[in-house]
Amino acid sequence: MVRVLGIETSCDETAIGIVEDGVRIRSNIVASSQDFHKPYGGVIPEIAARVHVEVIWRVLEESLAQASCQLSDIDAIAVTQGPGLPGALLIGVAFAKGLAMMLDRPLIGVDHLAAHLHAGRMTDPTLAPPFIGLVVSGGHSLLCVAHGEQRFEMLGETKDDAVGEAFDKVARLLGLGYPGGPVIDRLSDEGNRTGVALPRHATKEGFDFSFSGLKTAVYQTVQKLTAEVAEGYRLKAEVDRTLQPLALGLQRRQIADVAASFQEAAVDVLLTKTLRACQKTGIKQIVIGGGVASNRRLRQRLTEEGHAKGIRVVVPPLALCVDNGAMVAGLGCELLAKGRTQPLSMNIDPHLHLNA
Ligand code: KG4
Ligand code: ZN
């Protein structure tokens, strides 16, 4: 039995998981600095790095306790090497090196995006490559063919905002706070998905994504609705100037309609491209990963519409979709088996990109 400890600090989550033989998750502890970033409406790299330093040891202790094991029971240390925020990555990698040196165990550098896709294989160990991978998070929107743990063929990426970023910005516009994805997901239940007409430019052709047009259309819609509500130049000018929240004065019902319509448009784009990738490559397996893969509408529609086309859709549980240490440990196990360990001189690689 091989027991790998996986460390993830690429963004605002300090996460450590312990996984046996690549699939048995013994622990998966995640501490988030999200609350500290809330007032700024987005992740502040400096704050994220400082919080990693403060909490990483406690996260390790909790992870060991949950797994009922000790540091000496760990066979290898895996850590996210990139992509991510340089300061945040440095904390995890330095910590991993310290553990590897202290315990005299191998060190394994893991690509965060590959780990998100590996979560699909941990969810369904019978899944074998090739499969279509869709990674959607606050920092990434990409579509690829996964030929193996470390072999990817990039099909498309976002040309502007990552989809999670678009969720966060739209939520901010609507005065819903940060992070926006979960709130829009919940509020959409109350709204009408066809309540507001929004463009889906990016669905037209190819595999690249673009969410800035959709975001601007939401902005214009909200501006129009707000102006109607304001009925007075002074209030409108005030709203235009501050932009925060733009949706000032709108009824909850109207905000829910905008949220639901935006979510539906974003899901349409993701779904169209992913199913197109299956059609073009002839590959009938899909794995989704990343924070936005927690979105219930995306999970539901991808599963239903994929199955209707005879496609196997692997949707990891929420704990494996968000940034977590178990996915890093799981992929670390596979790399260890292939002898792909790193020297203690290993460095962070903030621009690591699925080796593509
Ligand atoms: O993968 P992740 O935890 O961190 C990185 O960005 O790497 O993803 C965070 C992103 C945020 O933009 C957040 O708004 C979005 O994932 N998100 C969601 C949902 N839950 C989180 N977006 C849509 N629906 C959700 N349920
Ligand atoms: Zn991520």
Side-chain angles (χ1 to χ4, degrees), residues 192-253:
N192 177 358
R193 291 182 203 121
T194 53
V196 175
L198 292 171
R200 283 133 168 91
H201 299 305
T203 48
K204 275 181 199 140
E205 55 199 26
F207 296 114
D208 281 333
F209 300 105
S210 164
F211 293 100
S212 66
L214 175 58
K215 198 182 60 190
T216 305
V218 172
Y219 174 84
Q220 286 164 345
T221 303
V222 176
Q223 207 173 28
K224 193 163 152 272
L225 289 172
T226 311
E228 282 165 15
V229 170
E231 281 177 357
Y233 177 75
R234 193 197 58 77
L235 183 53
K236 180 180 177 305
E238 183 75 5
V239 168
D240 280 349
R241 191 167 53 77
T242 63
L243 291 182
Q244 184 64 330
L246 183 62
L248 195 75
L250 294 193
Q251 291 169 4
R252 185 180 171 101
R253 173 85 211 164

Short mmCIF file of all heavy atoms in Angstrom, two decimals, residues 192-253:
data_model
loop_
_atom_site.label_atom_id
_atom_site.label_comp_id
_atom_site.label_asym_id
_atom_site.label_seq_id
_atom_site.Cartn_x
_atom_site.Cartn_y
_atom_site.Cartn_z
N ASN A 192 -36.08 33.01 -13.59
CA ASN A 192 -36.53 32.47 -14.87
C ASN A 192 -35.32 32.44 -15.82
O ASN A 192 -34.75 33.48 -16.12
CB ASN A 192 -37.63 33.39 -15.41
CG ASN A 192 -38.12 32.96 -16.78
OD1 ASN A 192 -37.62 32.00 -17.36
ND2 ASN A 192 -39.09 33.69 -17.28
N ARG A 193 -34.96 31.24 -16.26
CA ARG A 193 -33.75 31.07 -17.10
C ARG A 193 -33.85 31.78 -18.44
O ARG A 193 -32.85 32.02 -19.09
CB ARG A 193 -33.50 29.60 -17.36
CG ARG A 193 -33.07 28.84 -16.15
CD ARG A 193 -32.80 27.40 -16.54
NE ARG A 193 -32.93 26.58 -15.36
CZ ARG A 193 -33.78 25.57 -15.23
NH1 ARG A 193 -34.57 25.25 -16.22
NH2 ARG A 193 -33.83 24.90 -14.11
N THR A 194 -35.10 32.03 -18.85
CA THR A 194 -35.26 32.72 -20.12
C THR A 194 -35.80 34.14 -19.91
O THR A 194 -36.26 34.79 -20.83
CB THR A 194 -36.23 31.93 -21.04
OG1 THR A 194 -37.44 31.70 -20.30
CG2 THR A 194 -35.66 30.61 -21.46
N GLY A 195 -35.70 34.59 -18.66
CA GLY A 195 -36.25 35.90 -18.29
C GLY A 195 -35.55 37.05 -19.01
O GLY A 195 -36.16 38.07 -19.29
N VAL A 196 -34.26 36.89 -19.26
CA VAL A 196 -33.48 37.94 -19.90
C VAL A 196 -32.75 37.33 -21.10
O VAL A 196 -32.12 36.28 -20.96
CB VAL A 196 -32.44 38.50 -18.90
CG1 VAL A 196 -31.54 39.52 -19.57
CG2 VAL A 196 -33.13 39.11 -17.69
N ALA A 197 -32.87 37.98 -22.25
CA ALA A 197 -32.18 37.45 -23.44
C ALA A 197 -30.71 37.83 -23.39
O ALA A 197 -30.38 39.00 -23.29
CB ALA A 197 -32.84 38.01 -24.69
N LEU A 198 -29.84 36.83 -23.42
CA LEU A 198 -28.40 37.10 -23.37
C LEU A 198 -27.70 36.36 -24.51
O LEU A 198 -28.14 35.29 -24.92
CB LEU A 198 -27.84 36.63 -22.02
CG LEU A 198 -28.30 37.42 -20.79
CD1 LEU A 198 -27.86 36.73 -19.52
CD2 LEU A 198 -27.77 38.85 -20.83
N PRO A 199 -26.61 36.95 -25.02
CA PRO A 199 -25.93 36.33 -26.16
C PRO A 199 -25.13 35.09 -25.78
O PRO A 199 -24.76 34.92 -24.62
CB PRO A 199 -24.98 37.45 -26.61
CG PRO A 199 -24.68 38.21 -25.36
CD PRO A 199 -25.93 38.14 -24.53
N ARG A 200 -24.93 34.24 -26.76
CA ARG A 200 -24.09 33.06 -26.57
C ARG A 200 -23.09 33.01 -27.73
O ARG A 200 -22.94 31.98 -28.39
CB ARG A 200 -24.95 31.79 -26.58
CG ARG A 200 -25.71 31.55 -25.28
CD ARG A 200 -27.15 31.20 -25.58
NE ARG A 200 -27.87 30.68 -24.44
CZ ARG A 200 -28.57 31.44 -23.59
NH1 ARG A 200 -28.60 32.75 -23.73
NH2 ARG A 200 -29.24 30.88 -22.60
N HIS A 201 -22.43 34.16 -27.97
CA HIS A 201 -21.52 34.27 -29.12
C HIS A 201 -20.57 33.09 -29.22
O HIS A 201 -20.33 32.56 -30.27
CB HIS A 201 -20.63 35.51 -28.99
CG HIS A 201 -21.41 36.78 -28.94
ND1 HIS A 201 -22.30 37.12 -29.93
CD2 HIS A 201 -21.43 37.79 -28.03
CE1 HIS A 201 -22.83 38.29 -29.60
NE2 HIS A 201 -22.34 38.71 -28.46
N ALA A 202 -20.03 32.74 -28.05
CA ALA A 202 -18.94 31.77 -28.03
C ALA A 202 -19.37 30.39 -28.49
O ALA A 202 -18.54 29.53 -28.74
CB ALA A 202 -18.36 31.71 -26.64
N THR A 203 -20.70 30.16 -28.60
CA THR A 203 -21.12 28.81 -28.99
C THR A 203 -20.89 28.55 -30.47
O THR A 203 -20.92 27.42 -30.92
CB THR A 203 -22.62 28.59 -28.70
OG1 THR A 203 -23.33 29.69 -29.22
CG2 THR A 203 -22.90 28.43 -27.23
N LYS A 204 -20.67 29.62 -31.23
CA LYS A 204 -20.71 29.49 -32.68
C LYS A 204 -19.79 28.41 -33.25
O LYS A 204 -20.21 27.49 -33.88
CB LYS A 204 -20.44 30.84 -33.33
CG LYS A 204 -21.74 31.65 -33.43
CD LYS A 204 -21.55 32.99 -34.09
CE LYS A 204 -22.72 33.89 -33.74
NZ LYS A 204 -22.32 35.25 -33.46
N GLU A 205 -18.51 28.58 -33.04
CA GLU A 205 -17.63 27.55 -33.60
C GLU A 205 -16.37 27.38 -32.77
O GLU A 205 -16.09 28.20 -31.88
CB GLU A 205 -17.25 27.91 -35.04
CG GLU A 205 -16.64 29.27 -35.15
CD GLU A 205 -16.69 29.81 -36.57
OE1 GLU A 205 -17.59 29.39 -37.33
OE2 GLU A 205 -15.84 30.62 -36.91
N GLY A 206 -15.60 26.35 -33.09
CA GLY A 206 -14.33 26.14 -32.41
C GLY A 206 -14.50 25.71 -30.97
O GLY A 206 -15.60 25.38 -30.51
N PHE A 207 -13.39 25.73 -30.25
CA PHE A 207 -13.40 25.25 -28.86
C PHE A 207 -13.01 26.31 -27.85
O PHE A 207 -13.07 26.07 -26.66
CB PHE A 207 -12.45 24.05 -28.73
CG PHE A 207 -12.89 22.86 -29.53
CD1 PHE A 207 -12.12 22.42 -30.60
CD2 PHE A 207 -14.06 22.20 -29.23
CE1 PHE A 207 -12.52 21.33 -31.34
CE2 PHE A 207 -14.48 21.11 -29.97
CZ PHE A 207 -13.71 20.67 -31.04
N ASP A 208 -12.58 27.48 -28.34
CA ASP A 208 -12.20 28.53 -27.39
C ASP A 208 -13.44 29.12 -26.73
O ASP A 208 -14.52 29.14 -27.32
CB ASP A 208 -11.42 29.64 -28.09
CG ASP A 208 -9.97 29.25 -28.33
OD1 ASP A 208 -9.45 28.41 -27.54
OD2 ASP A 208 -9.36 29.74 -29.28
N PHE A 209 -13.24 29.61 -25.52
CA PHE A 209 -14.34 30.25 -24.80
C PHE A 209 -14.13 31.75 -24.74
O PHE A 209 -13.00 32.24 -24.84
CB PHE A 209 -14.39 29.74 -23.35
CG PHE A 209 -14.60 28.28 -23.22
CD1 PHE A 209 -13.55 27.44 -22.87
CD2 PHE A 209 -15.85 27.71 -23.44
CE1 PHE A 209 -13.73 26.07 -22.74
CE2 PHE A 209 -16.04 26.35 -23.31
CZ PHE A 209 -14.98 25.53 -22.96
N SER A 210 -15.23 32.48 -24.58
CA SER A 210 -15.14 33.91 -24.35
C SER A 210 -16.35 34.29 -23.51
O SER A 210 -17.47 33.94 -23.85
CB SER A 210 -15.16 34.66 -25.68
OG SER A 210 -15.45 36.02 -25.44
N PHE A 211 -16.11 34.95 -22.39
CA PHE A 211 -17.22 35.30 -21.52
C PHE A 211 -17.39 36.80 -21.33
O PHE A 211 -18.28 37.24 -20.63
CB PHE A 211 -17.07 34.60 -20.16
CG PHE A 211 -17.21 33.10 -20.26
CD1 PHE A 211 -16.09 32.29 -20.29
CD2 PHE A 211 -18.46 32.51 -20.38
CE1 PHE A 211 -16.21 30.91 -20.41
CE2 PHE A 211 -18.60 31.14 -20.51
CZ PHE A 211 -17.47 30.34 -20.53
N SER A 212 -16.51 37.58 -21.99
CA SER A 212 -16.61 39.02 -21.74
C SER A 212 -17.86 39.62 -22.39
O SER A 212 -18.48 40.53 -21.84
CB SER A 212 -15.35 39.74 -22.19
OG SER A 212 -15.23 39.64 -23.58
N GLY A 213 -18.26 39.09 -23.57
CA GLY A 213 -19.47 39.59 -24.24
C GLY A 213 -20.71 39.32 -23.39
O GLY A 213 -21.58 40.19 -23.24
N LEU A 214 -20.76 38.14 -22.82
CA LEU A 214 -21.89 37.77 -21.96
C LEU A 214 -21.94 38.67 -20.73
O LEU A 214 -22.99 39.17 -20.34
CB LEU A 214 -21.74 36.29 -21.56
CG LEU A 214 -22.74 35.72 -20.57
CD1 LEU A 214 -24.16 35.85 -21.09
CD2 LEU A 214 -22.43 34.24 -20.29
N LYS A 215 -20.76 38.89 -20.17
CA LYS A 215 -20.66 39.74 -18.97
C LYS A 215 -21.14 41.17 -19.29
O LYS A 215 -21.89 41.78 -18.54
CB LYS A 215 -19.19 39.75 -18.54
CG LYS A 215 -18.95 40.20 -17.14
CD LYS A 215 -17.46 40.21 -16.87
CE LYS A 215 -16.75 41.16 -17.81
NZ LYS A 215 -15.30 41.06 -17.78
N THR A 216 -20.71 41.69 -20.44
CA THR A 216 -21.11 43.05 -20.83
C THR A 216 -22.62 43.11 -21.05
O THR A 216 -23.27 44.08 -20.67
CB THR A 216 -20.38 43.46 -22.13
OG1 THR A 216 -18.98 43.31 -21.89
CG2 THR A 216 -20.67 44.89 -22.52
N ALA A 217 -23.17 42.06 -21.66
CA ALA A 217 -24.62 42.03 -21.91
C ALA A 217 -25.38 42.04 -20.58
O ALA A 217 -26.40 42.71 -20.44
CB ALA A 217 -24.99 40.81 -22.73
N VAL A 218 -24.86 41.32 -19.59
CA VAL A 218 -25.51 41.33 -18.27
C VAL A 218 -25.43 42.74 -17.69
O VAL A 218 -26.41 43.28 -17.17
CB VAL A 218 -24.83 40.32 -17.31
CG1 VAL A 218 -25.38 40.47 -15.90
CG2 VAL A 218 -25.03 38.89 -17.79
N TYR A 219 -24.28 43.33 -17.83
CA TYR A 219 -24.07 44.69 -17.32
C TYR A 219 -25.09 45.65 -17.93
O TYR A 219 -25.75 46.41 -17.22
CB TYR A 219 -22.64 45.13 -17.66
CG TYR A 219 -22.33 46.56 -17.31
CD1 TYR A 219 -21.94 46.90 -16.02
CD2 TYR A 219 -22.44 47.57 -18.26
CE1 TYR A 219 -21.67 48.21 -15.69
CE2 TYR A 219 -22.17 48.88 -17.94
CZ TYR A 219 -21.79 49.21 -16.66
OH TYR A 219 -21.53 50.49 -16.33
N GLN A 220 -25.23 45.56 -19.26
CA GLN A 220 -26.15 46.47 -19.95
C GLN A 220 -27.60 46.22 -19.52
O GLN A 220 -28.38 47.16 -19.34
CB GLN A 220 -26.00 46.34 -21.46
CG GLN A 220 -24.71 46.99 -21.93
CD GLN A 220 -24.30 46.58 -23.33
OE1 GLN A 220 -24.81 45.60 -23.87
NE2 GLN A 220 -23.35 47.30 -23.91
N THR A 221 -27.93 44.94 -19.36
CA THR A 221 -29.29 44.59 -18.93
C THR A 221 -29.59 45.19 -17.56
O THR A 221 -30.64 45.79 -17.34
CB THR A 221 -29.44 43.05 -18.84
OG1 THR A 221 -29.13 42.50 -20.11
CG2 THR A 221 -30.83 42.63 -18.42
N VAL A 222 -28.64 45.00 -16.65
CA VAL A 222 -28.85 45.48 -15.29
C VAL A 222 -28.92 47.00 -15.27
O VAL A 222 -29.74 47.60 -14.57
CB VAL A 222 -27.73 44.95 -14.35
CG1 VAL A 222 -27.89 45.52 -12.95
CG2 VAL A 222 -27.77 43.44 -14.30
N GLN A 223 -28.09 47.60 -16.10
CA GLN A 223 -28.08 49.06 -16.18
C GLN A 223 -29.45 49.58 -16.64
O GLN A 223 -29.99 50.52 -16.09
CB GLN A 223 -27.00 49.48 -17.17
CG GLN A 223 -26.44 50.84 -16.89
CD GLN A 223 -25.26 51.13 -17.81
OE1 GLN A 223 -25.19 50.60 -18.92
NE2 GLN A 223 -24.34 51.94 -17.35
N LYS A 224 -30.00 48.88 -17.63
CA LYS A 224 -31.29 49.27 -18.19
C LYS A 224 -32.40 49.09 -17.13
O LYS A 224 -33.21 49.98 -16.90
CB LYS A 224 -31.58 48.40 -19.42
CG LYS A 224 -32.70 48.88 -20.27
CD LYS A 224 -32.63 48.22 -21.66
CE LYS A 224 -34.00 48.12 -22.29
NZ LYS A 224 -34.71 46.88 -21.91
N LEU A 225 -32.38 47.94 -16.49
CA LEU A 225 -33.40 47.67 -15.47
C LEU A 225 -33.30 48.68 -14.34
O LEU A 225 -34.31 49.20 -13.85
CB LEU A 225 -33.20 46.25 -14.89
CG LEU A 225 -33.56 45.07 -15.79
CD1 LEU A 225 -33.14 43.76 -15.15
CD2 LEU A 225 -35.07 45.05 -16.06
N THR A 226 -32.09 48.98 -13.96
CA THR A 226 -31.88 49.91 -12.85
C THR A 226 -32.36 51.32 -13.22
O THR A 226 -32.97 52.01 -12.41
CB THR A 226 -30.39 49.96 -12.45
OG1 THR A 226 -29.95 48.63 -12.32
CG2 THR A 226 -30.18 50.68 -11.14
N ALA A 227 -32.05 51.69 -14.48
CA ALA A 227 -32.45 53.02 -14.92
C ALA A 227 -33.97 53.13 -14.91
O ALA A 227 -34.53 54.16 -14.51
CB ALA A 227 -31.92 53.27 -16.32
N GLU A 228 -34.63 52.04 -15.30
CA GLU A 228 -36.10 52.05 -15.29
C GLU A 228 -36.62 52.21 -13.87
O GLU A 228 -37.57 52.95 -13.62
CB GLU A 228 -36.64 50.73 -15.87
CG GLU A 228 -36.58 50.67 -17.38
CD GLU A 228 -36.76 49.25 -17.90
OE1 GLU A 228 -37.20 48.36 -17.14
OE2 GLU A 228 -36.45 49.02 -19.10
N VAL A 229 -35.98 51.52 -12.97
CA VAL A 229 -36.41 51.57 -11.57
C VAL A 229 -36.10 52.95 -10.98
O VAL A 229 -36.93 53.54 -10.28
CB VAL A 229 -35.70 50.48 -10.73
CG1 VAL A 229 -35.96 50.69 -9.25
CG2 VAL A 229 -36.17 49.11 -11.16
N ALA A 230 -34.95 53.47 -11.30
CA ALA A 230 -34.51 54.72 -10.68
C ALA A 230 -35.41 55.91 -11.02
O ALA A 230 -35.67 56.76 -10.17
CB ALA A 230 -33.08 55.02 -11.09
N GLU A 231 -35.87 55.89 -12.29
CA GLU A 231 -36.79 56.93 -12.76
C GLU A 231 -36.29 58.35 -12.52
O GLU A 231 -37.04 59.30 -12.59
CB GLU A 231 -38.16 56.82 -12.06
CG GLU A 231 -39.03 55.75 -12.62
CD GLU A 231 -40.35 55.63 -11.85
OE1 GLU A 231 -40.55 56.35 -10.85
OE2 GLU A 231 -41.16 54.83 -12.27
N GLY A 232 -35.12 58.52 -12.18
CA GLY A 232 -34.66 59.88 -11.92
C GLY A 232 -33.21 59.98 -12.32
O GLY A 232 -32.44 59.06 -12.06
N TYR A 233 -32.83 61.06 -12.96
CA TYR A 233 -31.46 61.19 -13.43
C TYR A 233 -30.47 61.11 -12.28
O TYR A 233 -29.44 60.47 -12.36
CB TYR A 233 -31.29 62.51 -14.17
CG TYR A 233 -29.86 62.72 -14.61
CD1 TYR A 233 -29.35 62.00 -15.68
CD2 TYR A 233 -29.04 63.59 -13.92
CE1 TYR A 233 -28.03 62.15 -16.05
CE2 TYR A 233 -27.72 63.76 -14.29
CZ TYR A 233 -27.21 63.04 -15.36
OH TYR A 233 -25.93 63.18 -15.73
N ARG A 234 -30.81 61.75 -11.15
CA ARG A 234 -29.85 61.80 -10.05
C ARG A 234 -29.47 60.39 -9.56
O ARG A 234 -28.30 60.05 -9.47
CB ARG A 234 -30.43 62.61 -8.89
CG ARG A 234 -29.39 62.98 -7.85
CD ARG A 234 -30.04 63.39 -6.55
NE ARG A 234 -30.89 62.35 -5.99
CZ ARG A 234 -30.45 61.28 -5.36
NH1 ARG A 234 -29.15 61.11 -5.22
NH2 ARG A 234 -31.26 60.37 -4.89
N LEU A 235 -30.49 59.59 -9.32
CA LEU A 235 -30.22 58.25 -8.81
C LEU A 235 -29.48 57.42 -9.85
O LEU A 235 -28.55 56.69 -9.55
CB LEU A 235 -31.53 57.56 -8.41
CG LEU A 235 -31.38 56.17 -7.80
CD1 LEU A 235 -30.40 56.19 -6.63
CD2 LEU A 235 -32.73 55.65 -7.34
N LYS A 236 -29.86 57.58 -11.11
CA LYS A 236 -29.20 56.82 -12.17
C LYS A 236 -27.71 57.19 -12.23
O LYS A 236 -26.84 56.34 -12.31
CB LYS A 236 -29.86 57.08 -13.52
CG LYS A 236 -29.21 56.30 -14.64
CD LYS A 236 -29.88 56.56 -15.97
CE LYS A 236 -29.18 55.84 -17.10
NZ LYS A 236 -27.77 56.16 -17.17
N ALA A 237 -27.46 58.50 -12.16
CA ALA A 237 -26.08 58.96 -12.23
C ALA A 237 -25.29 58.39 -11.06
O ALA A 237 -24.14 57.95 -11.21
CB ALA A 237 -26.05 60.48 -12.20
N GLU A 238 -25.92 58.37 -9.93
CA GLU A 238 -25.26 57.83 -8.73
C GLU A 238 -24.90 56.36 -8.94
O GLU A 238 -23.79 55.93 -8.68
CB GLU A 238 -26.24 57.99 -7.55
CG GLU A 238 -25.71 57.57 -6.21
CD GLU A 238 -24.73 58.58 -5.64
OE1 GLU A 238 -24.54 59.66 -6.24
OE2 GLU A 238 -24.15 58.27 -4.62
N VAL A 239 -25.88 55.62 -9.46
CA VAL A 239 -25.67 54.19 -9.69
C VAL A 239 -24.57 53.98 -10.72
O VAL A 239 -23.68 53.16 -10.55
CB VAL A 239 -26.99 53.53 -10.15
CG1 VAL A 239 -26.74 52.13 -10.67
CG2 VAL A 239 -27.98 53.49 -9.01
N ASP A 240 -24.60 54.75 -11.79
CA ASP A 240 -23.59 54.62 -12.83
C ASP A 240 -22.19 54.89 -12.28
O ASP A 240 -21.23 54.25 -12.66
CB ASP A 240 -23.87 55.60 -13.96
CG ASP A 240 -24.95 55.09 -14.89
OD1 ASP A 240 -25.33 53.92 -14.76
OD2 ASP A 240 -25.42 55.86 -15.72
N ARG A 241 -22.15 55.86 -11.40
CA ARG A 241 -20.84 56.27 -10.89
C ARG A 241 -20.26 55.20 -9.96
O ARG A 241 -19.10 54.83 -10.09
CB ARG A 241 -20.98 57.60 -10.14
CG ARG A 241 -19.66 58.26 -9.80
CD ARG A 241 -19.89 59.68 -9.35
NE ARG A 241 -20.87 59.76 -8.27
CZ ARG A 241 -20.61 59.46 -7.00
NH1 ARG A 241 -19.41 59.05 -6.67
NH2 ARG A 241 -21.55 59.56 -6.09
N THR A 242 -21.06 54.68 -9.08
CA THR A 242 -20.51 53.76 -8.09
C THR A 242 -20.45 52.33 -8.62
O THR A 242 -19.53 51.59 -8.27
CB THR A 242 -21.36 53.74 -6.81
OG1 THR A 242 -22.64 53.26 -7.15
CG2 THR A 242 -21.47 55.13 -6.22
N LEU A 243 -21.41 51.97 -9.42
CA LEU A 243 -21.50 50.62 -9.99
C LEU A 243 -21.59 49.53 -8.94
O LEU A 243 -21.48 48.36 -9.25
CB LEU A 243 -20.26 50.31 -10.86
CG LEU A 243 -20.13 51.08 -12.16
CD1 LEU A 243 -18.88 50.60 -12.89
CD2 LEU A 243 -21.34 50.84 -13.04
N GLN A 244 -21.72 49.91 -7.70
CA GLN A 244 -21.64 48.88 -6.67
C GLN A 244 -22.67 49.09 -5.59
O GLN A 244 -22.49 49.93 -4.74
CB GLN A 244 -20.23 48.87 -6.11
CG GLN A 244 -19.93 47.82 -5.10
CD GLN A 244 -20.03 46.41 -5.65
OE1 GLN A 244 -20.80 46.13 -6.55
NE2 GLN A 244 -19.29 45.51 -5.10
N PRO A 245 -23.72 48.34 -5.50
CA PRO A 245 -24.12 47.38 -6.52
C PRO A 245 -24.93 48.08 -7.59
O PRO A 245 -25.72 48.95 -7.30
CB PRO A 245 -24.99 46.40 -5.74
CG PRO A 245 -25.57 47.23 -4.64
CD PRO A 245 -24.60 48.33 -4.33
N LEU A 246 -24.70 47.65 -8.81
CA LEU A 246 -25.41 48.26 -9.93
C LEU A 246 -26.91 47.96 -9.81
O LEU A 246 -27.75 48.74 -10.24
CB LEU A 246 -24.85 47.71 -11.24
CG LEU A 246 -25.43 48.29 -12.51
CD1 LEU A 246 -25.14 49.77 -12.61
CD2 LEU A 246 -24.85 47.58 -13.71
N ALA A 247 -27.18 46.81 -9.23
CA ALA A 247 -28.57 46.35 -9.18
C ALA A 247 -29.40 47.04 -8.11
O ALA A 247 -30.48 46.57 -7.75
CB ALA A 247 -28.59 44.85 -8.98
N LEU A 248 -28.90 48.14 -7.61
CA LEU A 248 -29.59 48.89 -6.57
C LEU A 248 -31.06 49.14 -6.93
O LEU A 248 -31.35 49.61 -8.02
CB LEU A 248 -28.87 50.25 -6.42
CG LEU A 248 -29.16 51.06 -5.18
CD1 LEU A 248 -28.44 50.43 -3.98
CD2 LEU A 248 -28.68 52.48 -5.38
N GLY A 249 -31.95 48.83 -6.05
CA GLY A 249 -33.36 49.14 -6.29
C GLY A 249 -34.11 48.04 -7.03
O GLY A 249 -35.32 48.10 -7.14
N LEU A 250 -33.40 47.07 -7.57
CA LEU A 250 -34.12 46.00 -8.28
C LEU A 250 -34.76 45.05 -7.28
O LEU A 250 -34.25 44.86 -6.17
CB LEU A 250 -33.15 45.19 -9.16
CG LEU A 250 -32.49 45.91 -10.34
CD1 LEU A 250 -31.84 44.88 -11.25
CD2 LEU A 250 -33.52 46.71 -11.13
N GLN A 251 -35.85 44.44 -7.70
CA GLN A 251 -36.50 43.47 -6.82
C GLN A 251 -35.71 42.16 -6.88
O GLN A 251 -35.07 41.85 -7.88
CB GLN A 251 -37.91 43.20 -7.31
CG GLN A 251 -38.83 44.39 -7.13
CD GLN A 251 -40.14 44.20 -7.86
OE1 GLN A 251 -40.39 43.15 -8.45
NE2 GLN A 251 -40.96 45.22 -7.83
N ARG A 252 -35.84 41.39 -5.83
CA ARG A 252 -35.14 40.11 -5.75
C ARG A 252 -35.47 39.24 -6.97
O ARG A 252 -34.62 38.57 -7.53
CB ARG A 252 -35.54 39.40 -4.45
CG ARG A 252 -34.76 38.13 -4.22
CD ARG A 252 -35.17 37.44 -2.94
NE ARG A 252 -34.57 36.12 -2.85
CZ ARG A 252 -33.51 35.84 -2.11
NH1 ARG A 252 -32.93 36.77 -1.40
NH2 ARG A 252 -33.03 34.62 -2.08
N ARG A 253 -36.73 39.30 -7.36
CA ARG A 253 -37.21 38.51 -8.49
C ARG A 253 -36.44 38.88 -9.79
O ARG A 253 -36.03 38.02 -10.56
CB ARG A 253 -38.70 38.80 -8.66
CG ARG A 253 -39.36 38.21 -9.86
CD ARG A 253 -39.80 36.79 -9.60
NE ARG A 253 -39.73 36.03 -10.82
CZ ARG A 253 -39.75 34.72 -10.88
NH1 ARG A 253 -39.81 33.99 -9.80
NH2 ARG A 253 -39.72 34.10 -12.03
#
